[in-house]
Amino acid sequence: MKDSVAEEHLYLGFSHQYRDSIFPLHTSISLFLLSYCDCKLFKIFLVPTGENVDDQFVTKKLLGDLEVHLISRCQLPVVVQSCCLPAVVVKDGKFCRAGLSVVLRHIIQKTYEADPSKKDVLELLGFKKTCLKACAEVSQWTRLCEISIPLAVEGFLTASPEHCQTIPPDILQLERKLGEPVRVHNDDKIRRQKLQQQKAGAKDAVPVLGKEATEEGKPVEMHEHPLPSLELSIAFSKLLVQEVSDAVNREAPRIRRTKTSDLPLLDHVFAEGLYFTLADIVLLPCIHQFLVSSKKQGKNLVNLPLISNWYQRVQKVPGVKKAAGKCNMELLQFPELMSAPEEELQDLSSVPHELEEDNEDSHFIGGPRPTMTKLMENGIEAKFSPHPCPNWTLDWTNLPSAVSPGEGKMSRDRALRKQQQLNNLVAAVTKLAKPGDVIVDFCSGGGHVGIVLAHMMPSCQVVLIENKELSLMRAKDRSDELGLNNIWFIQANLDYFNGTFNIGVALHACGVATDMVIEHCIKAGAAFVISPCCYGFIQNTVKFKYPR
């Protein structure tokens, strides 16, 4: 195991505890992942939402073997005070990671870096390490896992009895998602194996899942939607580092000649498809609380066969029951979940339409070419002229090399264009800024804007906000080289930044992100200097519909 380079502090929100969970659920999810990873790399702080900080508030058995400290919000590092929790920051550092998905992905990466033998932990990030990487503002799946379901379950637990009669729409959406066909990177190969198995008349069977899988309870009975053994074999052979039988891998000639369109579809084993990922870790504490509450209330709720089967299947994953035990989660057993009569099963076709994105204007296409074409059709042409303010040009030759965009790993021609863009943007911000102002560089990328602003205006505090870790790390390296003391780095989705600021800046925030930045600035009562995205196409999302 490698030595830790620097201690990191993990800050988790704490509103209350209820049964076997700490709320908000984002905190229970974070603690569950730490237990699953057996990670002791972080100093953990609970941040109560109220003013009183009392060690007696938290039942120690809910924390497992983790050492947790209580701290008031006013004692948080200033950079963390500007973010929604959970958040991670290097001790006495200026680099903060905020938001559930960003923090959980960081915990996984740090666990693996400290102990490379924990390959199963790294596998939680999924194919190409992209599980829950996309922003919740634009990804329906990330939004469902990270925001919608935790909030839906919290609302269900606090609702009056009459409002608990129906299943929350977001839970029904997850049920629907689990019924959709699975797409994986080696989709064609596995579907041919499934076809061969079907042609051979193979019977559905659950494979042996190892010692831990059979320790507790009775074997899983999949009454409603039995899964073919091929999907389960592939999923659990990966978890147990086993190879699928050669007999399964060999394809008959007639199978190889089958058209892709004629191959059988794959069924879900876990939340994202065939493999156990971070999405399952996020969903388990939420769905567990929903099922426990439903059972304790004695409500004859509509059955959810796919979620029930998923919940039972996740318990068979090595390490899950151990982690649940550490967090005092008493996982329910399968027979308790399938007690409703068959006629009460939910017809998922009746799931409210508001679950789906509004498809009105779904064919709207934005972007430079269609926009310019529309303008020209209406007699409006772009005319180019010399720069009206040539004195806006920065003296790049006399600036430190780390200030130049060329230090952000880009070509010489692109760096020159970036300098020209920065000339204009910095001049506009300089006219607005006053000493002591907080300037936020949204969607900062490698810090081309923020680093110039921090260097040129040392009396202002500059905050860089970016979702991509590698880009932000490059920006921090450049800042360290310059010795800047008036700059913070926040890896987070835009919505997780709730700090006060005076000026918002964004240079080429992609597509819909430009509108998101403008909205954020307006809500904060801040001025903004923004150059919209010069490429790509805007699209309808959960937050915005076009044209606006």
Side-chain angles (χ1 to χ4, degrees):
M1 181 177 292
K2 299 178 181 179
D3 293 332
S4 179
V5 175
E7 183 182 40
E8 297 193 28
H9 290 185
L10 170 61
Y11 298 95
L12 303 171
F14 172 52
S15 58
H16 64 287
Q17 61 185 58
Y18 179 73
R19 297 196 180 111
D20 56 1
S21 283
I22 294 174
F23 287 78
L25 279 171
H26 279 191
T27 294
S28 282
I29 293 166
S30 302
L31 292 171
F32 180 70
L33 176 65
L34 288 167
S35 295
Y36 178 81
C37 297
D38 192 23
C39 177
K40 305 290 196 314
L41 301 173
F42 300 88
K43 187 172 183 179
I44 305 169
F45 295 88
L46 285 185
V47 186
T49 53
E51 294 298 321
N52 295 324
V53 180
D54 186 351
D55 285 316
Q56 302 306 314
F57 271 64
V58 187
T59 302
K60 298 299 182 184
K61 63 182 181 179
L62 298 183
L63 304 173
D65 57 356
L66 298 171
E67 182 181 350
V68 176
H69 310 269
L70 283 167
I71 185 175
S72 64
R73 190 160 188 91
C74 64
Q75 294 175 295
L76 291 173
V78 181
V79 65
V80 178
Q81 291 184 30
S82 299
C83 301
C84 296
L85 303 180
V88 172
V89 65
V90 178
K91 184 180 180 182
D92 300 326
K94 300 172 183 178
F95 195 108
C96 177
R97 295 171 172 85
L100 184 67
S101 294
V102 166
V103 168
L104 297 185
R105 287 176 56 85
H106 181 63
I107 290 172
I108 290 169
Q109 289 166 342
K110 294 297 289 185
T111 300
Y112 178 71
E113 288 172 10
D115 186 356
S117 69
K118 293 185 176 181
K119 290 185 171 58
D120 58 322
V121 171
L122 188 65
E123 291 292 341
L124 291 174
L125 296 180
F127 181 60
K128 292 188 176 180
K129 311 295 181 284
T130 57
C131 182
L132 301 187
K133 185 176 182 180
C135 301
E137 293 95 335
V138 296
S139 166
Q140 292 183 57
W141 176 243
T142 300
R143 189 174 188 84
L144 182 68
C145 295
E146 183 179 38
I147 299 172
S148 302
I149 284 185
L151 288 178
V153 172
E154 289 174 5
F156 182 83
L157 296 177
T158 56
S160 57
E162 58 270 19
H163 289 108
C164 291
Q165 298 290 340
T166 57
I167 296 174
D170 294 302
I171 300 291
L172 293 177
Q173 187 177 13
L174 176 62
E175 177 77 5
R176 175 184 283 176
K177 288 278 186 185
L178 292 176
E180 294 176 355
V182 169
R183 294 298 300 244
V184 292
H185 65 282
N186 53 347
D187 174 273
D188 187 88
K189 177 181 178 182
I190 298 175
R191 288 169 66 190
R192 290 184 191 280
Q193 292 173 7
K194 181 172 180 176
L195 177 62
Q196 178 156 304
Q197 186 187 72
Q198 291 177 347
K199 294 283 188 183
K203 302 296 183 181
D204 292 346
V206 179
V208 177
L209 306 181
K211 182 180 178 181
E212 178 170 343
T214 57
E215 280 179 350
E216 300 180 31
K218 298 177 181 178
V220 180
E221 301 173 34
M222 302 198 181
H223 300 297
E224 303 300 329
H225 295 271
L227 282 166
S229 61
L230 179 68
E231 282 98 329
L232 279 169
S233 297
I234 291 172
F236 281 97
S237 65
K238 182 173 183 178
L239 286 168
L240 300 169
V241 198
Q242 297 173 348
E243 295 294 331
V244 178
S245 168
D246 288 340
V248 175
N249 288 326
R250 285 195 294 271
E251 297 173 3
R254 69 180 184 279
I255 301 297
R256 288 195 294 270
R257 291 193 295 269
T258 303
K259 294 180 180 178
T260 300
S261 58
D262 294 331
L263 295 173
L265 298 174
L266 301 176
D267 295 310
H268 276 262
V269 177
F270 296 111
E272 288 200 347
L274 296 185
Y275 306 119
F276 183 73
T277 66
L278 178 58
D280 297 283
I281 293 281
V282 171
L283 292 170
L284 181 58
C286 302
I287 298 302
H288 169 71
Q289 281 298 325
F290 168 74
L291 295 173
V292 168
S293 182
S294 301
K295 178 176 178 291
K296 285 187 178 291
Q297 292 177 23
K299 302 295 183 184
N300 200 8
L301 294 173
V302 177
N303 219 336
L304 299 169
L306 299 181
I307 287 178
S308 298
N309 287 336
W310 166 84
Y311 176 79
Q312 190 69 15
R313 200 174 299 120
V314 167
Q315 296 182 44
K316 307 300 178 184
V317 173
V320 166
K321 284 188 177 179
K322 183 179 179 181
K326 287 182 180 180
C327 297
N328 203 43
M329 285 174 55
E330 297 182 9
L331 299 173
L332 300 177
Q333 295 306 303
F334 191 81
E336 298 179 72
L337 303 177
M338 302 298 291
S339 55
E342 189 170 332
E343 60 267 18
E344 293 183 9
L345 294 179
Q346 170 73 25
D347 177 11
L348 289 179
S349 63
S350 66
V351 175
H353 291 297
E354 59 263 24
L355 289 176
E356 300 176 354
E357 283 194 20
D358 184 1
N359 286 323
E360 188 178 351
D361 295 323
S362 60
H363 299 296
F364 170 76
I365 299 176
R369 291 185 182 87
T371 301
M372 294 302 295
T373 300
K374 289 177 186 176
L375 292 173
M376 292 177 68
E377 287 172 353
N378 287 276
I380 301 172
E381 278 192 67
K383 294 185 178 180
F384 297 91
S385 61
H387 197 294
C389 302
N391 62 328
W392 282 8
T393 302
L394 296 172
D395 186 3
W396 292 100
T397 56
N398 288 322
L399 290 174
S401 60
V403 175
S404 171
E407 291 295 300
K409 309 299 181 187
M410 63 171 61
S411 67
R412 180 179 298 178
D413 288 344
R414 189 178 170 212
L416 177 60
R417 291 197 302 273
K418 188 68 68 176
Q419 285 180 351
Q420 294 167 346
Q421 296 158 10
L422 291 173
N423 288 336
N424 300 315
L425 194 144
V426 171
V429 175
T430 302
K431 286 189 173 183
L432 290 171
K434 305 181 297 295
D437 276 357
V438 176
I439 304 170
V440 179
D441 179 10
F442 291 98
C443 308
S444 66
H448 304 308
V449 177
I451 286 175
V452 176
L453 292 174
H455 180 77
M456 301 293 293
M457 289 179 276
S459 63
C460 294
Q461 179 68 44
V462 178
V463 183
L464 274 61
I465 299 177
E466 168 61 46
N467 182 257
K468 297 181 179 66
E469 182 180 32
L470 291 179
S471 297
L472 208 55
M473 290 302 294
R474 283 200 297 269
K476 188 176 186 306
D477 289 342
R478 292 169 61 194
S479 170
D480 291 345
E481 183 179 337
L482 291 165
L484 297 175
N485 295 314
N486 61 327
I487 190 167
W488 291 336
F489 305 87
I490 299 176
Q491 184 196 350
N493 297 347
L494 191 150
D495 279 353
Y496 285 114
F497 175 75
N498 56 14
T500 57
F501 61 102
N502 305 99
I503 303 171
V505 180
L507 175 59
H508 298 169
C510 284
V512 68
T514 288
D515 286 309
M516 291 166 59
V517 171
I518 292 174
E519 181 189 64
H520 205 87
C521 292
I522 291 173
K523 285 183 177 178
F528 54 86
V529 178
I530 293 174
S531 174
C533 185
C534 62
Y535 64 93
F537 294 87
I538 54 177
Q539 58 187 344
N540 290 331
T541 67
V542 174
K543 292 178 71 72
F544 294 111
K545 298 291 182 288
Y546 293 93
R548 292 170 66 76

